[in-house]
Amino acid sequence: MAGKNAKTTLGPIELEVITGTIRSAELEIEAAVERTSRSPMIRDQHDYRVALFDAKGRKLTGRSYSALVEPVFEYFDDGDIHPGDVFFWNDPYNSCGGIGHVPDLCTTVPIFHEERLIGFSQVFGHHDDVGGAVPGSLPVDARDMWAEGLVIPPIKLYDKGVLNEAAYKIVFRNSRLGEHLRGDVDAEIGAALLGSRRITAMAERYGIDALESAFDTILENCAATIRRELLPKIKNGTYTWEDFVECDGVERDKIHAFRLTMTKTDDKIFLDFSGTDPEAAGPINWPIDYADGKFIRKFMAPVLRSLADSPERAAEIDMNEGAIDVLEVKFPEKGTLVTPTFGKPTGMRFFLFLRVLGTFAGALAKATGGRMPADHETIRIWGMHGGRNQDEFYLFREVLGGGGPGRPWADGSDVVHIVPNSRNLPAEFSETRYPIRVEKLGLARDSAGAGYRRGGFGYNKQIRTLGDATLLSNADRSFINCYGVNGGKAGGLYGVTIEQPDGSEVEAPGMSDDRVVPAGGIVKLQTTGGGGWGDPLAREPELVCYDVLCGLVSPDAAQSDYGVVVAKDGNAFVVDEAATGALRTKLAAARGELNMFDRGPVVDDLRRKGEIDWPEGWQDPDEGWHAVDADGRSDAERAA
């Protein structure tokens, strides 16, 4: 029963309070997960998502992408959703597109006020191990999803408050780190229940009808904001773009293309994924062609925030469920990377979802005169495992970020993660818990893509093993670079090298899970740099000089990439202005017209050799697109 003073309609101030309360509740859910979970992947590296939904399954905030509630509706009818239920799943092919690979276990709790369903509270995280062929449940050469771990369709882990003991035991028995997994799942259930109590408290304060009306308004405001502030900055028309996953772990010499045709009208954006390559033999597939593409529409929508009037305004625009009113999607027939047939492996699907975001941004760059950030590939999982038996078994893993994109308004951030609030493990924690020693942690020199606004730098990390171990590397962008935009240059690549105790070095592929690191060996990692934005020869020489002083850009790269000549002056560097002016004039004359996109040498070489197989009706989507100035003119147009 609503309180005596509950209203049936709400004013703007009360609406803002409700909006803030929902966001605050999500923060509380996150804090509860972090303080009560067990595994480093979730507790310390924050690889999890939380969300609050209304009774229709519509996400009320855009704080971080989440799974969907649709599996509850699909598997359970209205009469089978009760207070005390806890719904649980990880099946990539029975999660309506909301779960991409089996390490992501999803917990969803219905929210009731008295007997009325008013919403859902949800937590899902990437767990340390859910079984499968290799520790960590991400085998790089998996040929089906059952090699990747235990697959759970939507079930009730609790039914009206009663635990399903058999399912509970089966889940944890299938993990190499069962106690970690049990602690994480219990933490996630508790956190979701906390979120449900916050929504119930609002229903008691405002009344259910008024609260649900507020939910409607929150979503409508999102769509209205996109149409009012962001869509007018995108030129109407049709634009194509593509990007590549470089390896699927099975067919190692084959690249895989994700393709997008974007059509912009006055009030909609239509996204057509036709032309995307066939499903892969290895684990880079991503089944998202479910529930009208609701997940992918919400996942892609935040890219539009880069078109806001300022970074501060971008942070204020909340991409909740209302965004799907503006974005429509079309999927190709079954059997492609984004429409894989049932059972195809999906463990490394995070390569593809980064390509989806980057391809959308590339199409928008065409439609906005290059006013979009460059590319950044900011997730890869690496680690080591060892131990002579199960009692001694350990799994050390990190989700390491890379350099952020150069942007029209700023340089890219260094070593950022697409995983919200994620971070590398502190050296003190790692060395205390695992038989390793962190020898070095810094930024990777010359890894950032050059530009008027350069990309961010990747990690340079070196770890010595104190006992025999096996390397895990689940990484992309080891030979196809993060692209630069509007004259900016491509960013640096991912790489992993094993230094043997005798000092010799062996390079490991980005996709590896069987390379032995002997005791005393050192694993050397460098993560990707973000692409640059804008003409590097226009970058302020003093900014280049400062990066040289900081050890982030070498003097040679300052000259070759930026045309800036620096000289040593005691312990500092200074710009040789005369030499810089002459060098920049020479470089500008030699290079010709700047392209809109720079993808790096490998893609350029594939083009020259005719090894990119475009589908019927397609041609090279980069051809004919050149960098433009603030007035939207290319070099050739200015010369004319």
Side-chain angles (χ1 to χ4, degrees):
M1 181 69 69
K4 288 182 179 180
N5 297 321
K7 295 185 177 182
T8 56
T9 58
L10 300 173
I13 294 176
E14 291 160 312
L15 181 64
E16 188 64 26
V17 169
I18 288 173
T19 302
T21 301
I22 296 169
R23 292 174 180 165
S24 178
E26 285 195 349
L27 286 169
E28 276 195 88
I29 300 170
E30 291 179 355
V33 172
E34 292 168 23
R35 293 174 182 175
T36 59
S37 56
R38 285 285 305 278
S39 70
M41 182 67 76
I42 292 178
R43 184 191 63 218
D44 301 285
Q45 296 185 87
H46 302 177
D47 194 354
Y48 65 87
R49 309 286 181 277
V50 312
L52 291 167
F53 303 83
D54 70 2
K56 298 175 183 177
R58 300 180 300 177
K59 192 171 184 294
L60 297 173
T61 75
R63 178 168 164 72
S64 74
Y65 69 87
S66 65
L68 303 176
V69 174
E70 272 71 13
V72 176
F73 303 144
E74 183 175 311
Y75 275 75
F76 303 90
D77 59 35
D78 292 343
D80 200 18
I81 302 174
H82 308 287
D85 288 347
V86 175
F87 300 97
F88 191 68
W89 66 84
N90 75 337
D91 186 339
Y93 292 90
N94 287 285
S95 63
C96 297
I99 293 294
H101 58 185
V102 296
D104 288 349
L105 293 171
C106 185
T107 297
T108 304
V109 173
I111 305 171
F112 283 85
H113 182 260
E114 297 179 347
E115 299 300 317
R116 181 169 169 178
L117 177 68
I118 61 172
F120 294 88
S121 179
Q122 185 181 85
V123 180
F124 85 88
H126 184 127
H127 296 84
D128 272 342
D129 187 274
V130 293
V134 301
S137 308
L138 293 175
V140 301
D141 58 356
R143 293 175 180 267
D144 62 47
M145 72 173 177
W146 294 278
E148 298 174 321
L150 180 67
V151 180
I152 307 164
I155 64 171
K156 283 189 181 184
L157 197 57
Y158 284 81
D159 188 352
K160 299 180 182 178
V162 178
L163 174 65
N164 184 336
E165 292 276 2
Y168 194 73
K169 291 177 181 177
I170 290 169
V171 170
F172 306 128
R173 186 63 168 176
N174 275 273
S175 172
R176 296 172 179 86
L177 294 164
E179 288 304 309
H180 278 195
L181 186 58
R182 186 193 308 271
D184 289 344
V185 169
D186 287 346
E188 289 158 7
I189 293 171
L193 290 169
L194 183 153
S196 71
R197 292 194 292 271
R198 297 296 178 263
I199 299 300
T200 300
M202 284 199 296
E204 292 173 348
R205 178 178 181 182
Y206 297 105
I208 296 174
D209 292 338
L211 185 62
E212 291 187 336
S213 176
F215 293 163
D216 290 338
T217 302
I218 289 169
L219 305 184
E220 290 163 3
N221 286 347
C222 171
T225 298
I226 297 172
R227 288 195 170 100
R228 182 177 64 251
E229 297 186 31
L230 305 181
L231 291 192
K233 298 181 179 180
I234 306 168
K235 186 177 179 180
N236 286 359
T238 297
Y239 309 87
T240 60
W241 222 66
E242 66 185 355
D243 208 344
F244 307 94
V245 177
E246 62 190 26
C247 176
D248 75 347
V250 175
E251 299 177 279
R252 290 184 174 265
D253 295 326
K254 180 180 179 181
I255 65 170
H256 304 262
F258 171 78
R259 295 190 170 96
L260 170 68
T261 299
M262 180 187 83
T263 300
K264 158 66 170 48
T265 66
D266 288 339
D267 64 348
K268 289 268 189 178
I269 295 177
F270 299 87
L271 304 170
D272 184 352
F273 305 143
S274 300
T276 294
D277 275 354
E279 61 191 9
I284 62 168
N285 304 289
W286 188 22
I288 53 175
D289 54 326
Y290 298 90
D292 299 321
K294 284 185 178 180
F295 179 87
I296 193 63
R297 291 152 77 186
K298 288 186 283 185
F299 182 69
M300 295 175 74
V303 174
L304 295 169
R305 293 191 300 186
S306 294
L307 298 173
D309 287 339
S310 68
E312 293 77 17
R313 178 55 185 151
E316 294 172 347
I317 298 174
D318 196 30
M319 292 292 184
N320 55 43
E321 192 90 13
I324 70 173
D325 189 48
V326 180
L327 296 176
E328 294 190 10
V329 294
K330 178 184 177 181
F331 295 101
E333 295 296 320
K334 275 290 185 184
T336 72
L337 292 172
V338 292
T339 59
T341 52
F342 175 68
K344 283 291 183 180
T346 66
M348 258 58 77
R349 64 84 173 88
F350 42 85
F351 302 160
L352 191 54
F353 75 49
L354 289 163
R355 298 298 87 78
V356 167
L357 298 180
T359 304
F360 188 27
L364 288 168
K366 286 184 169 184
T368 60
R371 303 299 294 178
M372 283 293 293
D375 188 41
H376 62 303
E377 196 282 317
T378 57
I379 185 171
R380 77 278 310 141
I381 299 175
W382 93 278
M384 293 181 285
H385 63 86
R388 293 173 298 178
N389 52 49
Q390 185 59 28
D391 288 339
E392 296 182 2
F393 174 76
Y394 72 89
L395 175 62
F396 164 68
R397 287 199 304 174
E398 292 182 290
V399 185
L400 285 182
R407 301 157 287 181
W409 58 88
D411 290 343
S413 300
D414 303 323
V415 294
V416 296
H417 301 247
I418 195 172
V419 178
N421 303 316
S422 189
R423 52 197 174 199
N424 70 295
L425 289 174
E428 297 82 358
F429 174 90
S430 301
E431 293 177 345
T432 300
R433 191 177 184 106
Y434 305 108
I436 65 165
R437 187 165 67 232
V438 179
E439 302 265 317
K440 183 177 182 179
L441 176 61
L443 299 179
R445 192 183 201 189
D446 291 336
S447 61
Y452 171 65
R453 293 294 172 249
R454 61 159 173 76
F457 294 92
Y459 276 110
N460 179 356
K461 191 163 191 175
Q462 300 183 13
I463 293 185
R464 185 183 298 274
T465 63
L466 304 183
D468 291 347
T470 301
L471 172 71
L472 299 172
S473 176
N474 309 136
D476 194 34
R477 292 302 203 204
S478 64
F479 61 85
I480 294 180
N481 308 69
C482 300
Y483 64 80
V485 166
N486 205 30
K489 298 302 180 183
L493 297 169
Y494 172 85
V496 56
T497 301
I498 301 171
E499 181 183 309
Q500 307 292 336
D502 64 4
S504 63
E505 292 189 346
V506 179
E507 290 188 13
M511 294 273 274
S512 304
D513 59 19
D514 59 357
R515 300 301 173 101
V516 174
V517 185
I522 300 175
V523 177
K524 300 179 177 180
L525 294 130
Q526 177 168 312
T527 65
T528 53
W533 187 92
D535 184 356
L537 300 186
R539 184 169 176 81
E540 299 88 339
E542 60 271 20
L543 295 183
V544 178
C545 187
Y546 180 75
D547 283 342
V548 173
L549 176 64
C550 293
L552 298 175
V553 172
S554 66
D556 287 345
Q559 290 193 41
S560 61
D561 294 342
Y562 295 97
V564 173
V565 180
V566 297
K568 198 75 182 289
D569 181 17
N571 293 325
F573 287 91
V574 295
V575 177
D576 184 329
E577 295 185 4
T580 294
L583 179 58
R584 285 188 158 182
T585 299
K586 177 182 177 181
L587 292 174
R591 71 186 180 187
E593 189 166 16
L594 281 174
N595 291 324
M596 175 64 76
F597 304 103
D598 176 37
R599 297 179 182 265
V602 169
V603 174
D604 288 345
D605 190 49
L606 290 171
R607 285 192 183 118
R608 282 193 299 268
K609 294 178 178 178
E611 294 182 6
I612 297 178
D613 186 19
W614 286 292
E616 184 177 354
W618 274 70
Q619 60 183 15
D620 185 347
D622 293 12
E623 187 177 347
W625 289 88
H626 299 287
V628 299
D629 61 16
D631 296 322
R633 298 178 301 166
S634 66
D635 287 345
E637 290 169 332
R638 284 194 299 274

